[in-house]
Amino acid sequence: MLDDRDRKILDLLQADAGISVSDLAERVALSVSACSRRIQRLEESGHIARRIVVLDRKRMGVPTTVFALIKTAHHSDEWIETFRRAISGIPEIVEAHRLTGNQDYILKIVLPRVEHYDVIYKQIVRKIELFDVSASISMEILKSGSAIPVGYAD
């Protein structure tokens, strides 16, 4: 069971995974050792899945975002696993979701420029049969991040 301090620790770590334990402890009003034990417990319980570094996409040369919407005529477990393997080897595909509604999948693809989308498209269709693929180019990022709300956790 998480308490308010655990939630505050999780929230602060989401904002900056590199925060020192002493700074974190001060911000949640705990001793360094007590804070360290809580972090370890949160990792062991699986509340903290991993700690990552967020890179600047422009400096990394991939400022363009394309969302590819995919329809398929296949829905078997075998096809889904083949699709998963096909996209997992393409680093430009940073997110993939199976959807309800008119589309079956959406891929978030980061690219150096929009023209590079054709390279990624060809990599996908060489590996797996798709019914329809349409792409939308992100014009502006209005909100971005990987932080999730901590208030719902038990």
Side-chain angles (χ1 to χ4, degrees):
M1 192 88 172
L2 299 182
D3 63 18
D4 288 340
R5 279 196 175 125
D6 291 330
R7 288 184 183 87
K8 182 71 173 171
I9 289 169
L10 292 171
D11 206 31
L12 291 167
L13 284 172
Q14 282 191 107
D16 180 7
I19 189 172
S20 71
V21 176
S22 60
D23 287 345
L24 190 58
E26 184 179 321
R27 296 192 57 191
V28 297
L30 286 172
S31 69
V32 172
S33 59
C35 186
S36 181
R37 283 192 302 274
R38 282 183 183 243
I39 294 168
Q40 183 176 3
R41 182 176 46 80
L42 291 165
E43 289 172 335
E44 290 169 355
S45 68
H47 287 89
I48 298 174
R50 62 190 170 125
R51 298 190 203 190
I52 63 168
V53 172
V54 177
L55 303 177
D56 182 287
R57 289 190 31 205
K58 286 182 183 175
R59 288 189 177 264
M60 297 308 296
V62 288
T64 304
T65 303
V66 173
F67 293 96
L69 293 162
I70 295 173
K71 287 185 184 182
T72 180
H74 307 282
H75 299 282
S76 69
D77 290 344
E78 181 181 310
W79 188 93
I80 294 170
E81 188 53 37
T82 301
F83 180 64
R84 186 186 319 269
R85 283 193 310 272
I87 64 173
S88 69
I90 303 172
E92 291 86 351
I93 300 173
V94 296
E95 287 186 34
H97 300 265
R98 190 165 60 91
L99 305 173
T100 63
N102 295 329
Q103 304 293 329
D104 295 310
Y105 298 91
I106 187 169
L107 307 178
K108 180 180 179 182
I109 306 168
V110 297
L111 303 166
R113 60 193 174 287
V114 75
E115 295 83 6
H116 193 75
Y117 171 70
D118 191 49
V119 173
I120 304 305
Y121 171 82
K122 288 176 182 175
Q123 286 180 27
I124 296 168
V125 297
R126 273 189 219 116
K127 296 176 182 178
I128 193 154
E129 180 185 347
L130 302 173
F131 178 74
D132 184 50
V133 180
S134 63
S136 295
I137 302 163
S138 172
M139 300 295 290
E140 178 183 11
I141 298 171
L142 301 177
K143 182 179 179 181
S144 178
S146 59
I148 60 172
V150 298
Y152 298 101
D154 290 334

